[in-house]
Amino acid sequence: MDFNDTPEEAAFRAEVRSWLEANAPRKQNANESMRGRHSEAELLVMAKKWQAKKAEARYAQITWPKEYGGRGGTPMQQVIYNQEEANFLVAGGFFAIGLGMCIPTLMRYGSEADRQRYVGPALKGDEIWCQLFSEPSAGSDVAGLKTRAERDGDGWVINGQKVWTSGAHYSNFGIIITRTDPNVPKHKGLTMFYLDMKTPGVEVRPIRQVSGESGFNEVFFTDVRIPDSQRLGAVGEGWQVSLTTLMHERLAVGDSPGPDFDELFELTKMLELEDGPAIKNSAVREKLADFYVRGQGLKFTKFRTMTALSRGQVPGPEASIAKVVSASKLQDIASFGMELMEAGGIIQDKDLSPAAGLFQHAYLYAPGLRIAGGTDEILRNIIAERVLGLPGDIRVDKDLPFNQLKAGA
Amino acid sequence: MNFDFSDDQKMMRDSARKFLGDRSSLKVVRQALESDATYDKALWAGIAEMGWLGTAVPEEFGGVGLGHLELCMIAEEMGRALAPVPFASSVYLATEALLMAGSDAQKKAWLPKLVTGAIGTMAVSEGTGSPKISNTHVRVTNGTLNGVKWPVADGADCDLLIVLARGGDDRLSLYLVDARGKGVESEILKTMDPTRSAAKLKFTDAPAELLGVAGQGLELVQAINDHAAVLLAFEQVGGAQASLEMAKEFAMQRVTFGRLIASYQAIKHKLADMYVATELARSNAYYGAWALSTGSSELPVAAAAARISAIDAFHLSSKENLQTHGGMGFTWAGDCHLFYRRAKWLAHVIGTNRFWKERLISQLERKNAA
């Protein structure tokens, strides 16, 4: 038992590190980030430049086959690259959904011409993709979606609304799941397409979140016409196609960035309570211990997953617990950090608030992490059903035609 | 990254599971619950024959000469099986204490006996409360020990006692006492887990021999407990896992309102939470195992995190397993309370969660200041 790289992994790490040293500035401290000091538009320009460099050096998607610009590498090599890149001050985050979910779906279900046309520009960061799945009345139960696609000659006409679409406002393309047959049960009447976000009839409106920011959008479709060549998979097979996309989502989502034990520990050393420094208060110390243990448990669970990857094995089911633990933990740490500030905790001000308002900000965005990419409740169902082997829920709508359901009416 | 046990170590775990499945079934555990016997002597003899008592003891003292990682694998299975034997007292505490602080003569005198089935334990507490100078009254004068210790796990059955006591200089030290020698009287106490026993020990001029450095008693107890915390964490993870499996098995056959209770989200989410707590505890225990097996300076922090996490996981899993069983879970005839009782026993033996949380944070403060 040790934490060391294998000789091959160590060699790859050294190669990655020297490439990064030559191409990007090192972070001064672990929490340094581009966000907060640049506008989204500025970040996008920097991120595209960095993505192009990575693609040229074949670090953009390490596990992809060489013919698509990857290097045919292992998942462990991707983990090593990510670990090393985290030490450098670079812009990113815009391409994760496209490269992690949309393009893999296109690679599997699109035509050869599609692959030739779209994979390269997405990899280089020239084109960004978004995922148009959730709707106002179809979130966790996404198969209950209502956006219609109807045949029109040799093409299709799309009408309806999507919601929670991350990055739709800067995306060039999207993959969209639609209802093509309301007369059959809900999972059977769906079809997947891709489209240009500039197609006439597509309108993107940002959603203002609890935190005041806008990362998500509503997207409206009014008589949007697309050719049948933009269909991904067979008509009526959209649900199967979406599972490919969502499988990639589950692998991508896990961490909840924000204040963690170290930041809270520093805060308790700074703040005074009625009986002295917060760090000396036994109630505070007990809370700190709880957060530390949860965080370490997650860290070492991740190490177990990496060990499986390093050995060329499929990670065990323990990998599924990350988000359900980390999102709640973030929310609790944010709330507790504010509690220690007493009345001052209600102020959210970069200059006045301790840690530049880190805890207040996290308190307001943490609820989103407990919902996005699978709610806490859905994730517990997944653990119960896929890991523990408990039966699925009784689904009263499973065999009824969609247009006879309450949701479909 | 190689943060896992080796195939050989996992094979040891599998063979331990098989052995204990045969020899320490819940039927055997229940016999310990319902009889007056303080432990299962046949099982103890079998375990000694398997060589497990000397897993981490060097061959020169009669041990097998493997390491703590192998011992962790056995510990997990001891916890899963709720084995009603003094394994923790004798192996994680007394044997570890001798290995850590014993002189060569003391090791030669006691380790060969302990690895073949003699029972050792530690006598630290004198009633309720955390052991410290002001509540430690047992005293050694001119090489003899006087006073009363309770509770002492496996105190009525042991051959060797390691006692925390005041020395002539009024400082706390550890002493070896031959429990079968003169001046040691034991009284069996009623415990809340009758599958594990504890006693009150009265010492009257019992011969005592210093173990380790004089005046370092509390520090030594803590260092020994750091070792035991990791090993106990594996027992607790094993017990938590067994509780989860038992809850699942019941939920998969119990029908209410026309469906399996395992199909209700209230039950599914409960079991998912038990799974999450157990995996977090397992990961923390792995790190403890790494720190213990490599002699890392991280051990105090790693052991505390492993212990806190494992106490929480076994507590949650054992109480929610009982809850999942409904009324059946609350019967004496049902097995849920065997786990519920053991979870509490293990949570108390070397300091409770509250104590270890304080220790964790003070160790982190120290590390942070360094």
Side-chain angles (χ1 to χ4, degrees):
Chain A
M1 190 182 271
D2 60 61
F3 305 99
N4 305 331
D5 287 332
T6 64
E8 296 78 30
E9 288 164 3
F12 182 72
R13 190 183 295 280
E15 178 195 325
V16 165
R17 197 174 288 175
S18 73
W19 183 79
L20 285 165
E21 294 282 9
N23 290 283
R26 234 178 213 286
K27 284 183 185 173
Q28 300 297 312
N29 64 66
N31 289 324
E32 196 178 3
S33 128
M34 293 276 203
R35 299 202 175 255
R37 42 166 121 154
H38 296 283
S39 70
E40 189 181 68
E42 290 167 345
L43 285 169
L44 186 55
V45 172
M46 291 187 283
K48 284 187 168 194
K49 246 172 108 179
W50 178 238
Q51 185 69 18
K53 258 190 192 176
K54 274 168 74 170
E56 197 187 340
R58 292 191 177 254
Y59 287 124
Q61 289 294 111
I62 287 166
T63 60
W64 281 11
K66 287 182 180 158
E67 60 191 289
Y68 292 124
R71 57 167 67 209
T74 63
M76 192 60 201
Q77 287 180 327
Q78 184 68 58
V79 168
I80 289 170
Y81 179 85
N82 294 349
Q83 287 175 335
E84 293 300 317
E85 197 195 72
N87 298 321
F88 290 81
L89 195 61
V90 293
F94 295 94
F95 315 105
I97 290 171
L99 298 179
M101 300 182 227
C102 304
I103 298 295
T105 308
L106 188 98
M107 280 160 100
R108 168 134 181 226
Y109 291 100
S111 66
E112 186 50 36
D114 288 335
R115 287 189 279 268
Q116 293 300 333
R117 160 66 188 83
Y118 294 108
V119 174
L123 190 73
K124 292 190 197 92
D126 291 341
E127 291 171 352
I128 300 180
W129 287 66
C130 63
Q131 176 205 310
L132 299 149
F133 281 19
S134 294
E135 296 189 6
S137 62
S140 294
D141 181 14
V142 74
L145 62 90
K146 289 182 183 169
T147 294
R148 295 284 309 268
E150 287 163 309
R151 282 266 188 199
D152 179 43
D154 59 353
W156 296 82
V157 177
I158 299 174
N159 277 287
Q161 184 198 343
K162 295 291 176 178
V163 75
W164 317 129
T165 314
S166 304
H169 57 295
Y170 52 69
S171 289
N172 307 90
F173 296 92
I175 62 172
I176 180 169
I177 185 162
T178 62
R179 184 162 308 281
T180 43
D181 186 357
N183 301 305
V184 293
K186 63 179 184 181
H187 290 92
K188 296 186 176 142
L190 304 174
T191 304
M192 188 80 78
F193 299 94
Y194 72 85
L195 52 67
D196 188 326
M197 294 297 282
K198 295 276 184 304
T199 312
V202 179
E203 188 198 348
V204 177
R205 289 185 208 157
I207 297 173
R208 193 161 183 216
Q209 296 149 211
V210 168
S211 59
E213 296 148 323
S214 297
F216 302 114
N217 301 275
E218 298 177 286
V219 185
F220 295 85
F221 298 86
T222 313
D223 294 330
V224 175
R225 295 177 153 336
I226 58 169
D228 188 52
S229 60
Q230 289 178 206
R231 177 164 46 80
L232 296 171
V235 174
E237 295 286 321
W239 183 249
Q240 284 69 28
V241 178
S242 78
L243 292 182
T244 310
T245 316
L246 294 174
M247 185 185 72
H248 287 279
E249 176 170 39
R250 282 198 192 98
L251 291 175
V253 179
D255 280 338
S256 300
D260 208 331
F261 176 83
D262 288 344
E263 288 76 21
L264 187 63
F265 193 56
E266 285 309 309
L267 189 71
T268 62
K269 290 197 272 186
M270 249 168 63
L271 294 174
E272 280 284 321
L273 302 183
E274 64 284 358
D275 56 353
I279 182 67
K280 294 296 167 204
N281 181 288
S282 60
V284 171
R285 295 169 77 82
E286 185 158 1
K287 279 276 201 183
L288 277 172
D290 284 332
F291 289 131
Y292 182 81
V293 165
R294 270 202 270 169
Q296 292 292 100
L298 274 183
K299 173 178 162 187
F300 294 120
T301 299
K302 206 176 288 176
F303 281 15
R304 287 166 58 201
T305 302
M306 281 167 51
T307 299
L309 289 178
S310 174
R311 292 178 180 180
Q313 299 160 348
V314 179
E318 68 277 357
S320 61
I321 72 174
K323 194 176 92 86
V324 80
V325 177
S326 69
S328 273
K329 176 163 85 55
L330 174 68
Q331 191 171 35
D332 293 347
I333 284 179
S335 175
F336 187 65
M338 288 167 66
E339 187 183 325
L340 297 177
M341 298 172 202
E342 288 296 332
I346 60 172
I347 302 303
Q348 187 177 8
D349 182 290
K350 263 194 185 144
D351 300 320
L352 286 174
S353 302
L358 181 70
F359 291 84
Q360 285 80 2
H361 186 215
Y363 181 76
L364 292 176
Y365 72 69
L369 295 174
R370 293 187 53 202
I371 297 163
T375 62
D376 282 4
E377 292 72 22
I378 290 291
L379 293 178
R380 282 188 171 84
N381 283 350
I382 289 172
I383 291 171
E385 292 170 21
R386 308 230 181 114
V387 178
L388 300 177
L390 304 184
D393 275 295
I394 291 179
R395 296 175 194 263
V396 291
D397 57 358
K398 204 173 66 181
D399 301 316
L400 290 172
F402 181 72
N403 55 15
Q404 288 176 31
L405 301 180
K406 255 189 201 164
Chain B
M1 183 64 64
N2 181 30
F3 187 57
D4 196 0
F5 291 86
S6 69
D7 288 344
D8 282 351
Q9 287 155 353
K10 287 180 182 169
M11 248 163 67
M12 264 189 96
R13 179 181 62 194
D14 295 344
S15 80
R17 185 172 303 180
K18 187 170 178 325
F19 177 86
L20 291 167
D22 293 341
R23 307 279 291 269
S24 180
S25 65
L26 288 180
K27 218 174 117 194
V28 171
V29 179
R30 179 164 287 276
Q31 279 164 13
L33 175 78
E34 290 175 351
S35 76
D36 288 333
T38 45
Y39 69 102
D40 189 311
K41 292 194 170 61
L43 176 60
W44 185 245
I47 285 170
E49 238 169 75
M50 294 292 284
W52 295 353
L53 303 179
T55 307
V57 175
E59 287 171 76
E60 58 172 314
F61 302 116
V64 186
L66 293 169
H68 286 108
L69 292 179
E70 287 77 11
L71 192 51
C72 288
M73 294 285 84
I74 292 170
E76 184 176 341
E77 296 311 313
M78 299 295 285
R80 167 188 287 273
L82 300 178
V85 288
F87 196 77
S89 298
S90 201
V91 179
Y92 314 156
L93 291 170
T95 301
E96 289 296 315
L98 281 165
L99 286 171
M100 190 184 300
S103 67
D104 203 50
Q106 288 168 332
K107 287 184 197 168
K108 276 190 181 128
W110 285 106
L111 287 174
K113 292 181 188 164
L114 291 180
V115 303
T116 49
I119 296 169
T121 191
M122 287 191 61
V124 175
S125 300
E126 298 178 22
T128 53
S130 297
K132 54 183 176 179
I133 184 85
S134 60
N135 60 16
T136 300
H137 306 288
V138 167
R139 181 181 287 279
V140 172
T141 25
N142 300 324
T144 61
L145 188 77
N146 283 281
V148 177
K149 286 281 183 188
W150 72 274
V152 180
D154 304 295
D157 303 297
C158 65
D159 302 288
L160 170 67
L161 281 158
I162 296 171
V163 184
L164 178 72
R166 282 173 187 260
D169 53 5
D170 235 15
R171 293 186 303 165
L172 295 179
S173 302
L174 284 182
Y175 296 90
L176 292 179
V177 175
D178 181 348
R180 307 283 179 197
K182 72 175 173 79
V184 184
E185 282 174 81
S186 67
E187 175 196 337
I188 295 170
L189 300 177
K190 180 175 159 53
T191 69
M192 41 73 58
D193 177 5
T195 69
R196 300 291 299 106
S197 88
K200 184 189 246 184
L201 295 182
K202 189 175 170 203
F203 301 98
T204 315
D205 294 331
E209 182 184 314
L210 182 69
L211 174 72
V213 179
Q216 294 285 306
L218 281 178
E219 291 79 357
L220 266 177
V221 167
Q222 186 57 58
I224 295 159
N225 284 349
D226 281 350
H227 284 217
V230 174
L231 296 160
L232 285 167
F234 277 88
E235 282 208 9
Q236 289 160 313
V237 166
Q241 180 72 36
S243 303
L244 170 59
E245 288 167 14
M246 193 175 161
K248 177 191 159 181
E249 196 177 322
F250 182 78
M252 291 294 277
Q253 48 98 358
R254 174 72 173 178
V255 174
T256 64
F257 307 105
R259 48 196 272 213
L260 288 177
I261 65 167
S263 70
Y264 292 108
Q265 289 197 358
I267 296 293
K268 288 161 78 170
H269 289 192
K270 184 193 290 300
L271 267 58
D273 288 341
M274 290 157 72
Y275 174 79
V276 169
T278 304
E279 287 309 311
L280 290 178
R282 191 187 303 280
S283 297
N284 277 312
Y286 274 32
Y287 186 57
W290 169 81
L292 176 58
S293 68
T294 55
S296 165
S297 62
E298 288 287 307
L299 181 64
V301 167
R307 175 142 180 88
I308 294 162
S309 203
I311 287 174
D312 285 346
F314 199 8
H315 175 66
L316 179 78
S317 283
S318 66
K319 80 185 167 95
E320 296 306 330
N321 173 40
L322 194 154
Q323 180 72 16
T324 301
H325 281 70
M328 285 305 296
F330 189 56
T331 61
W332 182 268
D335 289 332
C336 296
H337 67 124
L338 298 174
F339 291 90
Y340 185 63
R341 289 171 189 276
R342 183 61 65 83
K344 201 62 180 157
W345 171 280
L346 292 175
H348 282 248
V349 281
I350 55 163
T352 57
N353 229 345
R354 184 203 54 73
F355 171 86
W356 284 90
K357 285 178 185 177
E358 172 53 38
R359 174 162 170 81
L360 172 63
I361 297 305
S362 58
Q363 289 298 316
L364 287 172
E365 280 183 295
R366 179 183 291 190
K367 212 175 113 181
N368 201 250

mmCIF file with all atom_site columns, all heavy atoms in Angstrom, chain B residues 5 10 110 188 203 313:
data_model
loop_
_atom_site.group_PDB
_atom_site.id
_atom_site.type_symbol
_atom_site.label_atom_id
_atom_site.label_alt_id
_atom_site.label_comp_id
_atom_site.label_asym_id
_atom_site.label_entity_id
_atom_site.label_seq_id
_atom_site.pdbx_PDB_ins_code
_atom_site.Cartn_x
_atom_site.Cartn_y
_atom_site.Cartn_z
_atom_site.occupancy
_atom_site.B_iso_or_equiv
_atom_site.pdbx_formal_charge
_atom_site.auth_seq_id
_atom_site.auth_comp_id
_atom_site.auth_asym_id
_atom_site.auth_atom_id
_atom_site.pdbx_PDB_model_num
ATOM 1  N N   . PHE B 1 5   ? -5.243  -2.956  -0.469 1.00 0.00 ? 5   PHE B N   1
ATOM 2  C CA  . PHE B 1 5   ? -4.532  -4.114  0.057  1.00 0.00 ? 5   PHE B CA  1
ATOM 3  C C   . PHE B 1 5   ? -4.096  -4.995  -1.104 1.00 0.00 ? 5   PHE B C   1
ATOM 4  O O   . PHE B 1 5   ? -4.682  -4.958  -2.186 1.00 0.00 ? 5   PHE B O   1
ATOM 5  C CB  . PHE B 1 5   ? -5.432  -4.857  1.048  1.00 0.00 ? 5   PHE B CB  1
ATOM 6  C CG  . PHE B 1 5   ? -5.660  -4.084  2.306  1.00 0.00 ? 5   PHE B CG  1
ATOM 7  C CD1 . PHE B 1 5   ? -6.674  -3.146  2.401  1.00 0.00 ? 5   PHE B CD1 1
ATOM 8  C CD2 . PHE B 1 5   ? -4.811  -4.254  3.394  1.00 0.00 ? 5   PHE B CD2 1
ATOM 9  C CE1 . PHE B 1 5   ? -6.859  -2.397  3.556  1.00 0.00 ? 5   PHE B CE1 1
ATOM 10 C CE2 . PHE B 1 5   ? -4.986  -3.524  4.557  1.00 0.00 ? 5   PHE B CE2 1
ATOM 11 C CZ  . PHE B 1 5   ? -6.006  -2.593  4.635  1.00 0.00 ? 5   PHE B CZ  1
ATOM 12 N N   . LYS B 1 10  ? -5.750  -9.677  0.719  1.00 0.00 ? 10  LYS B N   1
ATOM 13 C CA  . LYS B 1 10  ? -7.189  -9.924  0.526  1.00 0.00 ? 10  LYS B CA  1
ATOM 14 C C   . LYS B 1 10  ? -7.514  -11.412 0.651  1.00 0.00 ? 10  LYS B C   1
ATOM 15 O O   . LYS B 1 10  ? -8.598  -11.785 1.099  1.00 0.00 ? 10  LYS B O   1
ATOM 16 C CB  . LYS B 1 10  ? -7.638  -9.389  -0.826 1.00 0.00 ? 10  LYS B CB  1
ATOM 17 C CG  . LYS B 1 10  ? -7.715  -7.874  -0.862 1.00 0.00 ? 10  LYS B CG  1
ATOM 18 C CD  . LYS B 1 10  ? -8.157  -7.392  -2.230 1.00 0.00 ? 10  LYS B CD  1
ATOM 19 C CE  . LYS B 1 10  ? -8.193  -5.879  -2.289 1.00 0.00 ? 10  LYS B CE  1
ATOM 20 N NZ  . LYS B 1 10  ? -8.357  -5.400  -3.667 1.00 0.00 ? 10  LYS B NZ  1
ATOM 21 N N   . TRP B 1 110 ? 6.610   -12.575 27.581 1.00 0.00 ? 110 TRP B N   1
ATOM 22 C CA  . TRP B 1 110 ? 5.148   -12.557 27.368 1.00 0.00 ? 110 TRP B CA  1
ATOM 23 C C   . TRP B 1 110 ? 4.682   -12.833 25.940 1.00 0.00 ? 110 TRP B C   1
ATOM 24 O O   . TRP B 1 110 ? 3.632   -13.450 25.749 1.00 0.00 ? 110 TRP B O   1
ATOM 25 C CB  . TRP B 1 110 ? 4.577   -11.224 27.851 1.00 0.00 ? 110 TRP B CB  1
ATOM 26 C CG  . TRP B 1 110 ? 4.513   -11.148 29.352 1.00 0.00 ? 110 TRP B CG  1
ATOM 27 C CD1 . TRP B 1 110 ? 5.317   -10.432 30.178 1.00 0.00 ? 110 TRP B CD1 1
ATOM 28 C CD2 . TRP B 1 110 ? 3.591   -11.866 30.191 1.00 0.00 ? 110 TRP B CD2 1
ATOM 29 N NE1 . TRP B 1 110 ? 4.971   -10.631 31.498 1.00 0.00 ? 110 TRP B NE1 1
ATOM 30 C CE2 . TRP B 1 110 ? 3.908   -11.508 31.536 1.00 0.00 ? 110 TRP B CE2 1
ATOM 31 C CE3 . TRP B 1 110 ? 2.548   -12.761 29.959 1.00 0.00 ? 110 TRP B CE3 1
ATOM 32 C CZ2 . TRP B 1 110 ? 3.211   -12.020 32.637 1.00 0.00 ? 110 TRP B CZ2 1
ATOM 33 C CZ3 . TRP B 1 110 ? 1.845   -13.273 31.043 1.00 0.00 ? 110 TRP B CZ3 1
ATOM 34 C CH2 . TRP B 1 110 ? 2.182   -12.910 32.365 1.00 0.00 ? 110 TRP B CH2 1
ATOM 35 N N   . ILE B 1 188 ? -16.635 -10.146 37.860 1.00 0.00 ? 188 ILE B N   1
ATOM 36 C CA  . ILE B 1 188 ? -17.220 -9.923  36.531 1.00 0.00 ? 188 ILE B CA  1
ATOM 37 C C   . ILE B 1 188 ? -18.344 -8.901  36.634 1.00 0.00 ? 188 ILE B C   1
ATOM 38 O O   . ILE B 1 188 ? -19.203 -8.992  37.508 1.00 0.00 ? 188 ILE B O   1
ATOM 39 C CB  . ILE B 1 188 ? -17.740 -11.252 35.948 1.00 0.00 ? 188 ILE B CB  1
ATOM 40 C CG1 . ILE B 1 188 ? -16.567 -12.206 35.700 1.00 0.00 ? 188 ILE B CG1 1
ATOM 41 C CG2 . ILE B 1 188 ? -18.502 -11.010 34.648 1.00 0.00 ? 188 ILE B CG2 1
ATOM 42 C CD1 . ILE B 1 188 ? -16.973 -13.616 35.366 1.00 0.00 ? 188 ILE B CD1 1
ATOM 43 N N   . PHE B 1 203 ? -6.473  -4.855  43.334 1.00 0.00 ? 203 PHE B N   1
ATOM 44 C CA  . PHE B 1 203 ? -5.068  -5.217  43.520 1.00 0.00 ? 203 PHE B CA  1
ATOM 45 C C   . PHE B 1 203 ? -4.673  -5.022  44.987 1.00 0.00 ? 203 PHE B C   1
ATOM 46 O O   . PHE B 1 203 ? -4.900  -3.954  45.552 1.00 0.00 ? 203 PHE B O   1
ATOM 47 C CB  . PHE B 1 203 ? -4.171  -4.339  42.646 1.00 0.00 ? 203 PHE B CB  1
ATOM 48 C CG  . PHE B 1 203 ? -4.478  -4.431  41.181 1.00 0.00 ? 203 PHE B CG  1
ATOM 49 C CD1 . PHE B 1 203 ? -5.265  -3.469  40.547 1.00 0.00 ? 203 PHE B CD1 1
ATOM 50 C CD2 . PHE B 1 203 ? -3.990  -5.497  40.412 1.00 0.00 ? 203 PHE B CD2 1
ATOM 51 C CE1 . PHE B 1 203 ? -5.542  -3.548  39.201 1.00 0.00 ? 203 PHE B CE1 1
ATOM 52 C CE2 . PHE B 1 203 ? -4.269  -5.578  39.060 1.00 0.00 ? 203 PHE B CE2 1
ATOM 53 C CZ  . PHE B 1 203 ? -5.053  -4.605  38.453 1.00 0.00 ? 203 PHE B CZ  1
ATOM 54 N N   . ALA B 1 313 ? -20.031 5.258   11.551 1.00 0.00 ? 313 ALA B N   1
ATOM 55 C CA  . ALA B 1 313 ? -20.602 4.330   10.562 1.00 0.00 ? 313 ALA B CA  1
ATOM 56 C C   . ALA B 1 313 ? -21.263 3.133   11.234 1.00 0.00 ? 313 ALA B C   1
ATOM 57 O O   . ALA B 1 313 ? -22.371 2.739   10.865 1.00 0.00 ? 313 ALA B O   1
ATOM 58 C CB  . ALA B 1 313 ? -19.509 3.854   9.603  1.00 0.00 ? 313 ALA B CB  1
#
